[in-house]
Amino acid sequence: MNAADDPKTARQWYEWSIIEADPVLKDSAHGALRVLEQHGLIWDHGEQRVASPHEVQREYEISPYGDYLIERLAAPGE
């Protein structure tokens, strides 16, 4: 998240940042990212150097299709 807590501006995801946000996801974050990528909901931007102690990790960004799905899920029931 960013300072404004706006999820649409938090574009880059890393496995460590997901685990930091919700430690319960420690054992499933990697697998969940792979499934989201397989379905075109996120894009893998390859390995990126990140702050210690994480060093190098894969960076993911939500795709336009992922944005669309989130908006549909957040919409009130019709």
Side-chain angles (χ1 to χ4, degrees):
M1 293 289 177
N2 65 356
D5 291 329
D6 181 359
K8 294 207 49 127
T9 60
R11 306 303 297 173
Q12 283 73 34
W13 296 350
Y14 301 93
E15 186 175 339
W16 71 266
S17 64
I18 292 170
I19 294 168
E20 189 174 272
D22 189 346
V24 173
L25 299 174
K26 181 181 181 197
D27 295 331
S28 59
H30 179 76
L33 288 167
R34 292 290 177 210
V35 170
L36 292 171
E37 181 186 10
Q38 288 173 349
H39 291 284
L41 300 173
I42 61 173
W43 293 323
D44 182 348
H45 285 287
E47 292 185 337
Q48 306 293 326
R49 183 166 293 286
V50 294
S52 284
H54 310 293
E55 301 304 324
V56 175
Q57 286 211 351
R58 300 200 79 72
E59 178 183 85
Y60 298 90
E61 180 177 348
I62 192 164
S63 70
Y65 187 66
D67 273 334
Y68 170 77
L69 180 62
I70 289 172
E71 287 176 17
R72 293 286 296 152
L73 291 171
E78 297 175 13

